[in-house]
Amino acid sequence: MTTQVAVVGATGRMGQQVIRIIDATDDLSLFAGLNSRSELSEMIGADVVIDLTVPAVSQSVVEFAIEHGIKVLVGTSGWSAERLAWLERRVAEHEGAGVIVVPNFSIGSVLATSFATMAARFYDSIEIIEAHHASKVDSPSGTAVRTAELIGRARSHQGPVIAPHADQRARGQQVASVPIHSLRMQGVVARQDVHFGALGELLTITHETLSPDSYERGILAALRATPGAVGVTVGLDALIDLSGNAAE
Amino acid sequence: MTTQVAVVGATGRMGQQVIRIIDATDDLSLFAGLNSRSELSEMIGADVVIDLTVPAVSQSVVEFAIEHGIKVLVGTSGWSAERLAWLERRVAEHEGAGVIVVPNFSIGSVLATSFATMAARFYDSIEIIEAHHASKVDSPSGTAVRTAELIGRARSHQGPVIAPHADQRARGQQVASVPIHSLRMQGVVARQDVHFGALGELLTITHETLSPDSYERGILAALRATPGAVGVTVGLDALIDLSGNAAE
Amino acid sequence: MTTQVAVVGATGRMGQQVIRIIDATDDLSLFAGLNSRSELSEMIGADVVIDLTVPAVSQSVVEFAIEHGIKVLVGTSGWSAERLAWLERRVAEHEGAGVIVVPNFSIGSVLATSFATMAARFYDSIEIIEAHHASKVDSPSGTAVRTAELIGRARSHQGPVIAPHADQRARGQQVASVPIHSLRMQGVVARQDVHFGALGELLTITHETLSPDSYERGILAALRATPGAVGVTVGLDALIDLSGNAAE
Amino acid sequence: MTTQVAVVGATGRMGQQVIRIIDATDDLSLFAGLNSRSELSEMIGADVVIDLTVPAVSQSVVEFAIEHGIKVLVGTSGWSAERLAWLERRVAEHEGAGVIVVPNFSIGSVLATSFATMAARFYDSIEIIEAHHASKVDSPSGTAVRTAELIGRARSHQGPVIAPHADQRARGQQVASVPIHSLRMQGVVARQDVHFGALGELLTITHETLSPDSYERGILAALRATPGAVGVTVGLDALIDLSGNAAE
């Protein structure tokens, strides 16, 4: 059986990538591609809508889909905790509604963050280095901030990491007590190292993204999971089973 | 309450390290230190015996302990599958007997291997680089072989990794289809990188051991788990909870 | 003054890249683009010809240019020692003739190889790891072989590197006594690490190529050096001054 | 012929290391070991004096040696530009006087800094990461600061490196325009990475120190160079020939 997918934000870079993935996949079919001049009603009849718009538009797309009984995959970043709380309430009001929110489609990045979170309790020294292209204007990266926050949360029993002299200028920016160091260089695409140190040993988890092609696997896994979604699911990690018990 | 520990192999490097750990830990107490001239009966009365001998001796130490109702922590490497099967039978014959077998006391190494195993299903390109001191005579290292075997097992649904031209001399040695590359260099202590590659992205998990001090945490965790052991438990990974639900 | 450049092999990937560079550079002008159906006489009148053909064709292009008093930049790889000896003789026969042969236009790769050669005398443990995409059919890479050979030559007083148990399968392929380890993985473009080890310390020189754009600087430097070339010059390293005395 | 060496600061860690090196080396002999209770006159008769005291004492040791015609190797760090200017004047007043000042005896570190300086002109993106043990109180490290300063000097024609948004907290501390990022972690001894980025490529030079044994080679090279020293020589780099023309 083929899943009919409506793509909102079809003309953007990610929209085009999603359409290529749908075209190349037997069990997926493009129902409609919507852009900024489309009517939302064009998605009616699809099994799944994938929202790749901007935060300001995303909420109305999701609301329309829920009301018309269409399952939703949100690939727009920037869904805050408050907005997710609103989403939970809206979904609860519609029986059978299902929304998956995926801020990061990189399976490798999700694995790296999961491993870093698991290791966090076992090391008192933890620092993050992230490197991106010179044109990236903000620092630290969103992934580094999220990784540091998850490390902080995983250490609720152990307390803050040991980051001596963190006030010194060269010691980076602390997030949830974890120092983050940001490099901005020509020639780099995107890379993150999480360093863990303990007496006599070091553990490092590194993830590098070299092209947006790397999101394909995550997009496909999320698209395939959406028809069966019930309630609100956040993050690609919720869709992949790290225990190794089930098939991918 | 203090756990009384008998150390068999007390005069070796690891025996001395274990005795230092016991001395520095309030809830552990040294009951007896046995060496090659000791009678096994000297361990009678201990709560726990830790065996740090050689494979040829280890089996008789464990048997004696089981028969005298003493819980056992085996820190001797080289317990084969056949020997572990024998151990299972012996333990089953003695109600309440408990043996923990830990071939590698490095928590960091155990974490790195666990993460590599979890990541194995998501990447078709996987290669291991391990570097040790120039004086190490064998290659690949035992840890690299074990990591490759666990990766192979985790990929039972995906099949062998894609390792093109693995017959070429520079392409390393394949274990469970995973190429392993061994460096033997002055200045290196012990390091292992597991590299994972997929379309447009790379994930790397690195563990470095700089001193035997790094085994302390694993020895302590295992010593504390032994009094409560029932049946046969193999590996430090069975003693640590990666889910993050429980305290360490 | 503008240098008039004839490009032989104009329709290939590198030919197109060179034409883009010429178009974007004020002091360079495209005199003619020759392909496999062009007459060599189309280059007559150019100041410089850049040869980007295949080894079988390259020699006749260079001969024609020398005879017509045109300076030559050879960007075709595969010029053997014998062929270079022939070139030396031909150039000597024509007063004022000048040919620059550049097998590798990557300035970063040339720097990395130069540094590795300089460090070679100071370390007895030296091993090379090179990683390329899974589609690369040969191993070790040409750059790794050349690096190892230069290391071997630089160690003429020190002798072979110390590479214990190099006969073991996981220990890589030795070139000039230096073990080379080749990884072939999805997600990798091209990377080389040269590892140096001595008592208590490690030095590593790493070069990564992420896109052919990285050749631009080397192509430009070579094109600008060609009008002034006299005799035969081999390698980009001969065109850049590492002493730091002169401007780039 | 054996060189008679007087060691000032003989009871310190480095003094003891130097005495072990002298004992193990045929062409060197320990003439005298001086400590804080010794008379400086005890060095009279030595061929060479190595000063391993503290900055406050070092100057008087050097002055005494110069006046008594003894060649000097200064291994005390903290000789400022002003103090070196004073030293130049004092040495000029004594015909045949020779002083070698070596702030860092690590040959690997000196090589890494030399390579970084040579590469500096070819990359507009340059950032330094240095990692040391959690007990190190200052940041950035002296070696990182010196490396950045040499990079800045080597780029006198190119100008400052391109380090966007260097005012952001995670972007490290700039020295001579080069961002330096300092990690302070358990399990780390000492490591420095200099990262160079350009269009489509990355070059990285890494040096790790794992034990003070790594200083042995530099100490020995400096001790052997001191009898022939004339005038003031600063830095181990002045004693080693990177051109590869001479034997080590």
Side-chain angles (χ1 to χ4, degrees):
Chain A
M1 210 193 69
T2 303
T3 302
Q4 299 289 331
V5 184
V7 179
V8 188
T11 52
R13 187 185 58 72
M14 190 167 255
Q16 290 296 305
Q17 184 179 16
V18 167
I19 288 170
R20 277 196 307 276
I21 293 168
I22 293 169
D23 285 350
T25 308
D26 280 350
D27 56 332
L28 300 177
S29 175
L30 182 66
F31 179 81
L34 286 70
N35 59 35
S36 55
R37 294 182 309 279
S38 306
E39 297 292 328
L40 287 179
S41 57
E42 295 175 27
M43 72 172 77
I44 296 174
D47 301 313
V48 161
V49 59
I50 175 168
D51 168 57
L52 302 164
T53 60
V54 291
V57 177
S58 183
Q59 198 162 352
S60 59
V61 172
V62 173
E63 181 133 39
F64 186 92
I66 292 173
E67 280 171 3
H68 290 79
I70 309 171
K71 304 280 185 175
V72 189
L73 171 58
V74 178
T76 314
S77 61
W79 276 65
S80 61
E82 300 93 280
R83 202 180 265 211
L84 287 170
W86 166 86
L87 182 60
E88 290 275 4
R89 288 191 303 273
R90 296 298 287 137
V91 166
E93 291 161 17
H94 292 78
E95 204 184 312
V99 180
I100 299 179
V101 181
V102 176
N104 183 351
F105 280 113
S106 166
I107 283 183
S109 175
V110 164
L111 290 175
T113 302
S114 298
F115 299 158
T117 306
M118 291 181 206
R121 289 181 299 126
F122 299 101
Y123 293 88
D124 288 335
S125 289
I126 308 178
E127 308 208 8
I128 299 174
I129 299 172
E130 54 93 350
H132 284 84
H133 194 264
S135 61
K136 182 171 173 64
V137 294
D138 59 317
S139 73
S141 70
T143 301
V145 168
R146 187 172 152 76
T147 304
E149 287 171 349
L150 289 169
I151 286 170
R153 212 171 298 165
R155 288 178 56 83
S156 55
H157 293 294
Q158 287 79 18
V161 303
I162 296 173
H165 305 289
D167 55 308
Q168 296 174 1
R169 190 65 180 82
R171 293 283 291 116
Q173 175 178 338
Q174 283 184 289
V175 173
S177 83
V178 177
I180 306 179
H181 309 271
S182 298
L183 280 68
R184 295 292 173 263
M185 303 184 73
Q186 273 193 73
V188 177
V189 183
R191 176 183 168 123
Q192 179 170 303
D193 305 279
V194 189
H195 292 273
F196 299 88
L199 190 63
E201 58 145 326
L202 295 166
L203 175 71
T204 309
I205 298 165
T206 299
H207 186 255
E208 287 174 89
T209 302
L210 296 153
S211 93
D213 295 345
S214 61
Y215 304 137
E216 277 192 20
R217 299 191 295 156
I219 292 169
L220 192 54
L223 278 173
R224 283 179 167 153
T226 308
V230 177
V232 177
T233 307
V234 179
L236 204 55
D237 46 332
L239 306 180
I240 60 179
D241 175 12
L242 291 184
S243 70
N245 295 324
E248 190 182 344
Chain B
M1 210 194 71
T2 304
T3 302
Q4 299 289 331
V5 184
V7 179
V8 187
T11 51
R13 186 185 58 71
M14 190 167 256
Q16 291 296 304
Q17 184 179 15
V18 167
I19 288 170
R20 276 196 307 276
I21 293 168
I22 293 170
D23 286 348
T25 307
D26 280 350
D27 56 330
L28 300 177
S29 176
L30 182 66
F31 180 81
L34 284 72
N35 59 35
S36 55
R37 293 182 310 276
S38 305
E39 297 293 327
L40 286 179
S41 58
E42 295 175 28
M43 72 172 75
I44 297 175
D47 300 312
V48 161
V49 59
I50 175 167
D51 167 58
L52 303 164
T53 61
V54 291
V57 177
S58 183
Q59 197 161 352
S60 60
V61 171
V62 173
E63 180 134 39
F64 187 92
I66 292 172
E67 281 173 2
H68 290 79
I70 310 172
K71 305 281 185 174
V72 189
L73 171 58
V74 177
T76 313
S77 61
W79 276 65
S80 62
E82 302 93 279
R83 202 180 265 209
L84 286 170
W86 166 86
L87 182 60
E88 291 275 5
R89 290 192 302 272
R90 296 298 286 136
V91 166
E93 291 161 17
H94 292 78
E95 202 185 313
V99 179
I100 299 178
V101 180
V102 177
N104 183 351
F105 280 112
S106 167
I107 283 183
S109 176
V110 164
L111 290 174
T113 303
S114 298
F115 299 158
T117 307
M118 292 182 205
R121 288 182 299 128
F122 299 100
Y123 293 87
D124 287 336
S125 288
I126 307 178
E127 308 209 6
I128 298 174
I129 300 172
E130 54 93 349
H132 283 85
H133 193 263
S135 61
K136 183 171 172 64
V137 295
D138 58 318
S139 72
S141 69
T143 301
V145 169
R146 187 172 153 77
T147 304
E149 287 171 350
L150 289 170
I151 287 170
R153 213 170 297 166
R155 289 178 56 84
S156 55
H157 294 292
Q158 287 81 16
V161 303
I162 297 173
H165 304 289
D167 55 307
Q168 295 174 1
R169 190 65 180 83
R171 295 281 293 117
Q173 176 178 339
Q174 283 185 288
V175 173
S177 83
V178 178
I180 305 179
H181 310 271
S182 299
L183 281 68
R184 295 290 174 265
M185 303 184 72
Q186 273 193 73
V188 177
V189 183
R191 175 183 169 124
Q192 180 170 302
D193 304 279
V194 189
H195 292 273
F196 299 88
L199 189 62
E201 58 145 327
L202 295 166
L203 175 70
T204 310
I205 297 165
T206 300
H207 186 254
E208 286 174 271
T209 302
L210 296 153
S211 94
D213 295 344
S214 61
Y215 305 137
E216 277 191 22
R217 298 191 295 158
I219 292 170
L220 192 54
L223 279 174
R224 283 180 168 152
T226 308
V230 177
V232 176
T233 307
V234 179
L236 204 55
D237 45 333
L239 307 181
I240 60 179
D241 175 12
L242 291 184
S243 70
N245 296 323
E248 189 182 343
Chain C
M1 210 194 70
T2 304
T3 301
Q4 299 289 332
V5 184
V7 179
V8 187
T11 51
R13 186 185 58 73
M14 190 168 255
Q16 291 296 304
Q17 184 179 17
V18 166
I19 288 170
R20 277 197 307 275
I21 293 169
I22 292 169
D23 286 348
T25 308
D26 281 349
D27 56 331
L28 299 177
S29 176
L30 183 64
F31 180 82
L34 286 70
N35 59 35
S36 55
R37 294 181 310 278
S38 306
E39 298 293 327
L40 286 179
S41 58
E42 295 175 29
M43 74 172 75
I44 296 174
D47 302 312
V48 161
V49 59
I50 176 167
D51 167 59
L52 302 165
T53 61
V54 291
V57 177
S58 182
Q59 198 162 353
S60 58
V61 172
V62 173
E63 180 132 39
F64 186 92
I66 291 172
E67 281 171 2
H68 289 78
I70 309 172
K71 305 281 185 173
V72 190
L73 171 58
V74 178
T76 314
S77 61
W79 277 65
S80 62
E82 302 92 280
R83 201 180 265 210
L84 287 170
W86 166 87
L87 181 61
E88 289 275 5
R89 289 191 303 273
R90 296 298 287 135
V91 166
E93 290 161 16
H94 291 78
E95 203 184 312
V99 180
I100 299 178
V101 181
V102 177
N104 182 350
F105 280 114
S106 166
I107 284 183
S109 176
V110 164
L111 290 175
T113 303
S114 297
F115 298 158
T117 307
M118 291 182 206
R121 289 182 299 127
F122 300 100
Y123 293 87
D124 287 336
S125 288
I126 307 179
E127 307 208 8
I128 298 174
I129 300 172
E130 54 94 351
H132 284 84
H133 193 263
S135 61
K136 183 171 173 65
V137 295
D138 58 317
S139 73
S141 70
T143 301
V145 169
R146 187 171 152 76
T147 304
E149 287 172 349
L150 289 170
I151 286 170
R153 212 170 298 164
R155 289 178 56 83
S156 56
H157 293 293
Q158 286 80 17
V161 304
I162 297 172
H165 305 288
D167 56 307
Q168 296 173 1
R169 189 64 180 83
R171 293 282 292 118
Q173 176 178 337
Q174 282 185 288
V175 173
S177 83
V178 178
I180 305 179
H181 309 271
S182 298
L183 281 69
R184 295 290 173 265
M185 303 184 74
Q186 272 193 75
V188 177
V189 183
R191 176 184 169 124
Q192 180 170 301
D193 305 279
V194 189
H195 292 273
F196 299 88
L199 189 62
E201 57 146 329
L202 296 166
L203 175 71
T204 310
I205 297 165
T206 299
H207 186 254
E208 286 174 270
T209 301
L210 296 153
S211 95
D213 296 344
S214 62
Y215 304 137
E216 276 192 22
R217 299 191 295 158
I219 292 169
L220 192 55
L223 278 173
R224 284 179 167 153
T226 308
V230 177
V232 177
T233 307
V234 180
L236 203 56
D237 45 332
L239 306 181
I240 60 178
D241 175 12
L242 290 183
S243 70
N245 295 323
E248 190 181 347
Chain D
M1 210 194 71
T2 305
T3 301
Q4 300 289 332
V5 184
V7 179
V8 187
T11 51
R13 187 185 57 73
M14 190 167 258
Q16 290 296 304
Q17 185 179 15
V18 167
I19 288 170
R20 278 196 305 276
I21 293 168
I22 292 169
D23 285 349
T25 308
D26 281 350
D27 56 333
L28 299 177
S29 176
L30 182 65
F31 180 81
L34 287 70
N35 59 36
S36 55
R37 293 182 310 276
S38 305
E39 297 293 327
L40 287 179
S41 58
E42 294 175 27
M43 73 172 76
I44 296 175
D47 301 312
V48 161
V49 58
I50 176 167
D51 168 57
L52 302 165
T53 60
V54 290
V57 177
S58 183
Q59 198 162 351
S60 58
V61 171
V62 173
E63 181 133 38
F64 186 91
I66 292 173
E67 280 172 2
H68 289 80
I70 309 172
K71 305 281 185 175
V72 189
L73 171 57
V74 178
T76 314
S77 60
W79 277 65
S80 62
E82 302 93 278
R83 201 180 266 209
L84 287 170
W86 165 86
L87 182 60
E88 290 276 5
R89 288 192 304 272
R90 296 299 285 136
V91 165
E93 291 161 16
H94 292 79
E95 203 184 313
V99 179
I100 298 178
V101 180
V102 177
N104 182 351
F105 281 113
S106 167
I107 284 182
S109 175
V110 164
L111 290 174
T113 303
S114 298
F115 299 159
T117 307
M118 291 182 206
R121 289 182 300 127
F122 300 101
Y123 294 87
D124 288 336
S125 289
I126 308 178
E127 307 208 7
I128 299 174
I129 300 172
E130 54 93 350
H132 284 84
H133 194 263
S135 61
K136 183 170 172 64
V137 294
D138 59 317
S139 73
S141 71
T143 300
V145 169
R146 187 172 153 77
T147 305
E149 286 172 348
L150 290 169
I151 286 170
R153 213 170 298 166
R155 289 178 56 84
S156 55
H157 293 293
Q158 286 80 17
V161 304
I162 296 174
H165 305 290
D167 55 308
Q168 295 173 1
R169 189 66 180 83
R171 293 283 292 116
Q173 176 178 339
Q174 282 185 288
V175 174
S177 84
V178 178
I180 305 178
H181 309 271
S182 299
L183 280 68
R184 296 290 173 266
M185 302 184 74
Q186 274 193 73
V188 177
V189 184
R191 177 184 168 123
Q192 179 170 302
D193 304 280
V194 189
H195 292 273
F196 299 88
L199 190 62
E201 58 146 325
L202 295 167
L203 175 70
T204 310
I205 297 165
T206 300
H207 186 255
E208 287 174 90
T209 302
L210 296 153
S211 93
D213 295 345
S214 62
Y215 304 137
E216 275 191 24
R217 299 191 296 156
I219 292 169
L220 192 55
L223 279 173
R224 283 178 168 154
T226 308
V230 177
V232 176
T233 306
V234 179
L236 203 56
D237 45 333
L239 306 181
I240 61 178
D241 176 13
L242 290 183
S243 70
N245 295 324
E248 188 181 345

